[in-house]
Amino acid sequence: MPASNTPAPAPLRLEPVTAETFDAVCAIQVRPDQAHLVSPVVKSLAEAYLHTTTAWPRAIVDGDEIVGFVMAFHDILWNPAVDPDDRRSGIWRLNIDARHQGKGYGRFAVGAAVEEIRIRGIHDAYVSWNTGANNPEPFYLGLGFRPTGELSGDQRVARLSLTPDRVEPLGS
């Protein structure tokens, strides 16, 4: 059988959200018991539109299928009233469609977003999460994030060191 001239799509990757993928990305729904923990993707995209210099929204794509959404933030002033020099980068939002949870997509997306942060020369990545029922704390702790003792509103804040002396891969 002759080889196809059309290359197969890369298996698992992050892609910018485009006009062509917008509806599929907005259709991502977490499980009903998680809906109180994470905003819908459409809100994230609106926030990304308002914060174009700091937001990094990406569709999580497996082959031809959009399975989730991740949005990182880059170089934001964290709490200027406390420390006007404290600039941070990290994971702003992670939504894995309910049909695709438990397959490693979240781990992949966080790892890829953290790598983007590391490539930009940042030494720490941050994340925060709601502390209600079914929260993602075990997931983020399993990836190596450690609570800082801070709260962002009512969310627990955690940090992952990206310094060169960190030799183990994310989540090992």
Side-chain angles (χ1 to χ4, degrees):
M1 178 173 242
S4 169
N5 290 335
T6 306
L12 195 52
R13 62 200 181 280
L14 298 184
E15 291 185 351
V17 179
T18 65
E20 292 77 24
T21 61
F22 176 80
D23 287 336
V25 171
C26 287
I28 294 165
Q29 297 288 319
V30 297
R31 294 188 330 244
D33 64 320
Q34 299 167 326
H36 68 287
L37 297 170
V38 64
S39 295
V41 173
V42 70
K43 180 179 180 187
S44 298
L45 293 173
E47 289 169 329
Y49 176 81
L50 295 173
H51 302 282
T52 57
T53 60
T54 57
W56 194 74
R58 295 294 186 266
I60 305 164
V61 184
D62 187 358
D64 292 328
E65 186 174 11
I66 294 173
V67 298
F69 172 82
V70 64
M71 185 162 72
F73 61 91
H74 295 290
D75 200 34
I76 64 161
L77 270 173
W78 186 254
N79 188 351
V82 173
D83 182 353
D85 297 322
D86 186 7
R87 300 188 81 80
R88 298 186 185 184
S89 298
I91 305 299
W92 189 346
R93 215 49 65 58
L94 178 63
N95 303 65
I96 304 299
D97 193 82
R99 298 171 296 129
H100 297 291
Q101 292 184 14
K103 299 177 183 178
Y105 295 128
R107 176 180 296 273
F108 166 78
V110 170
V114 164
E115 180 61 12
E116 175 69 20
I117 291 166
R118 189 193 64 72
I119 288 169
R120 292 175 183 225
I122 308 300
H123 298 290
D124 295 294
Y126 290 84
V127 69
S128 63
W129 58 81
N130 287 311
T131 57
N134 301 312
N135 73 64
E137 182 171 318
F139 170 75
Y140 287 115
L141 294 178
L143 294 177
F145 285 89
R146 296 294 170 248
T148 64
E150 300 168 282
L151 291 176
S152 176
D154 61 353
Q155 295 189 353
R156 180 168 293 155
V157 177
R159 179 182 68 81
L160 177 69
S161 174
L162 306 179
T163 57
D165 62 332
R166 180 182 165 78
V167 294
E168 73 276 6
L170 186 70
S172 64

